[in-house]
Amino acid sequence: MSIPSSTSGPISAADERFAFRAIELARQGIALAHPNPMVGAVIVKDESTIGEGHHEYSKLDHAEVVALRQAGANARGATLYVSLEPCCSAGRTGPCTNAIIAAGIKRVVASMPDPNPDVSGKGFEQLRSAGIRVDIGAFEADARRTNEDYARWIQSRLPLVGLKTALTLDGQIASRAGSTTWITSEQSRAVVQSLRHEADVLLTGIGTVLADDPRMSDRTGLPRRRRLLRAVVDSKLRMPLKSNLVKSAEGDLIIFTTQSPDSPRARALARAGAEVVRVKPRAGKVHLQAVVRELGKREMLNVILEGGTALNGAALEAGIVDKMILFYAPKLMGVGGVPVASMPAARWFKKSPALGDLRITQYGPDFCVEGYFRDVYGDHRSSRKD
């Protein structure tokens, strides 16, 4: 990781307890904080919590300010635990560092620096200049994972793309092309709904739409600041007007195509509530890198790709996938099934990067393998959105 993660002092067991609570609070901002990062803060005095807060974009105030307001005058001499480096620049709100200094906080324990290369370390520097002790690194790995999509976007203006699929132990996602095959358990499918809730965009291909007629919805029932954007790659604009996606479109369906948005078909889809966006073709297909750039411009930080074998293969070959999320069922499909991704093995395998930072979790009878093709914290190029 290119972002510094050193601590300036020891982290005690009590520090870890309150730092972990700050990360728990940060995650209360799921689907509510983007395009800002999720941040949680805890203020502690005499080993007792006197203030807590987390950030929600529409409520403006950052987590530190919410916690300071709750603590009031009692914050003087207290310790602030925060999941992300406090901001030191004015955006829609004033700098959190100013509020922390004014409140008389004596120590700040932060899980990680801000991944924004234009900001990283400057908030800590301002706090230290004011005589506040700053310790960094408590539960840093958890904090980084919480804001990995924000880190990817703030550094590249591209969303974090996770390819999610369910498959058998022999790597099949369906029994035959164009069919729907339920592979994993109810426990795994519940986790998938949580992943959808965390996402800003669900991305699929027209092949999946024609085969499954999905709704691509977030069925958790949990609050969202923005509607989940449903995106479809449809080169020839074959999207049925009577599909579940079109019938339920309320400004939350975007179709990426190589066809003209002024065609009769495109106009009919637009009247039905879909947005048709033409992107330049590559080899006669939708240029997937252009799709990802467009989503980034719309301040979409987290994309879950739920495609079939063709789109999965195209996405991997185009290099747009940051993360793989593979739900394995303890079953075998046998010869003739549909592979996770259709692409020439001889060309792909030699250049395929190995997945890093692997994590394996069991859900009921299934297990999920998560891993990364790239370090989402390693590409510093842009500026923070506030």
Side-chain angles (χ1 to χ4, degrees):
M1 299 281 185
S2 54
I3 296 175
S5 59
S6 61
T7 61
S8 54
I11 301 294
S12 68
D15 288 335
E16 289 186 342
R17 177 162 55 92
F18 293 119
F20 189 74
R21 174 57 181 163
I23 294 171
E24 287 182 326
L25 288 167
R27 292 188 61 79
Q28 291 184 21
I30 289 174
L32 300 171
H34 285 176
N36 278 357
M38 293 183 285
V39 184
V42 180
I43 299 176
V44 175
K45 194 170 188 179
D46 299 326
E47 299 187 1
S48 296
T49 299
I50 59 173
E52 289 188 339
H54 70 276
H55 177 58
E56 295 182 20
Y57 188 86
S58 60
K59 293 183 179 179
L60 294 180
D61 284 339
H62 290 187
E64 301 93 321
V65 172
V66 175
L68 286 169
R69 185 181 299 120
Q70 189 178 115
N74 206 25
R76 185 161 299 277
T79 297
L80 167 67
Y81 296 87
V82 64
S83 61
L84 185 71
E85 176 180 4
C87 66
C88 58
S89 58
R92 297 187 306 152
T93 63
C96 289
T97 49
N98 289 355
I100 293 167
I101 294 167
I105 292 290
K106 71 173 183 179
R107 180 181 178 224
V108 170
V109 180
S111 294
M112 61 174 288
D114 192 319
N116 179 355
D118 294 336
V119 174
S120 183
K122 294 179 181 178
F124 294 145
E125 181 181 351
Q126 185 176 346
L127 294 174
R128 287 180 174 131
S129 296
I132 297 173
R133 175 181 167 183
V134 177
D135 297 322
I136 312 165
F139 285 101
E140 183 174 9
D142 297 270
R144 285 176 180 267
R145 193 176 292 274
T146 296
N147 276 314
E148 62 186 15
D149 44 17
Y150 170 76
R152 174 63 171 158
W153 181 76
I154 200 63
Q155 295 165 25
S156 67
R157 286 299 190 245
L158 298 174
L160 179 82
V161 178
L163 191 160
K164 187 279 299 177
T165 193
L167 65 163
T168 59
L169 293 177
D170 51 349
Q172 313 295 312
I173 62 173
S175 58
R176 65 181 186 278
S179 68
T180 300
T181 307
W182 291 108
I183 293 175
T184 51
S185 64
E186 290 184 7
Q187 293 95 324
S188 291
R189 292 198 287 273
V191 174
V192 168
Q193 287 301 315
S194 295
L195 291 173
R196 287 185 175 187
H197 181 63
E198 294 181 22
D200 298 315
V201 184
L202 286 186
L203 176 65
T204 195
I206 187 61
T208 297
V209 174
L210 296 176
D212 299 343
D213 193 21
R215 286 181 170 80
M216 296 173 64
S217 57
D218 170 5
R219 295 192 288 276
T220 63
L222 298 172
R224 305 184 63 93
R225 186 180 74 84
R226 304 185 289 192
R227 294 180 69 91
L228 177 64
L229 182 63
R230 302 170 298 167
V232 180
V233 176
D234 183 6
S235 298
K236 304 302 181 185
L237 212 54
R238 295 183 290 158
M239 174 68 75
L241 288 169
K242 294 184 178 181
S243 65
N244 283 322
L245 285 174
V246 175
K247 287 191 296 184
S248 61
E250 296 181 20
D252 58 352
L253 175 62
I254 182 169
I255 303 170
F256 292 101
T257 184
T258 61
Q259 308 301 302
S260 170
D262 294 324
S263 68
R265 181 75 171 178
R267 290 199 297 270
L269 288 166
R271 287 194 297 271
E275 180 183 0
V276 178
V277 175
R278 184 181 187 180
V279 296
K280 65 179 181 180
R282 173 166 286 187
K285 304 290 186 180
V286 168
H287 188 187
L288 294 179
Q289 292 173 341
V291 168
V292 172
R293 285 196 297 270
E294 176 62 27
L295 293 173
K297 289 178 182 177
R298 295 174 182 232
E299 299 185 339
M300 300 290 145
L301 279 58
N302 185 319
V303 176
I304 297 294
L305 194 163
E306 295 187 357
T309 184
L311 181 59
N312 288 347
L316 289 166
E317 286 210 283
I320 68 167
V321 178
D322 301 295
K323 179 179 183 179
M324 296 288 283
I325 310 166
L326 306 173
F327 288 86
Y328 282 92
K331 304 174 184 177
L332 296 173
M333 183 75 71
V335 177
V338 180
V340 173
S342 58
M343 50 194 176
R347 186 172 72 233
W348 164 256
F349 188 72
K350 291 181 180 179
K351 70 175 183 178
S352 172
L355 289 173
D357 195 16
L358 290 177
R359 182 170 63 171
I360 300 175
T361 310
Q362 186 167 357
Y363 299 110
D366 311 323
F367 65 94
C368 177
V369 177
E370 295 179 73
Y372 299 80
F373 283 123
R374 61 173 60 90
D375 175 6
V376 298
Y377 282 90
D379 178 18
H380 290 186
R381 283 187 292 182
S382 195
S383 59
R384 177 170 178 169
K385 171 72 179 181
D386 198 329

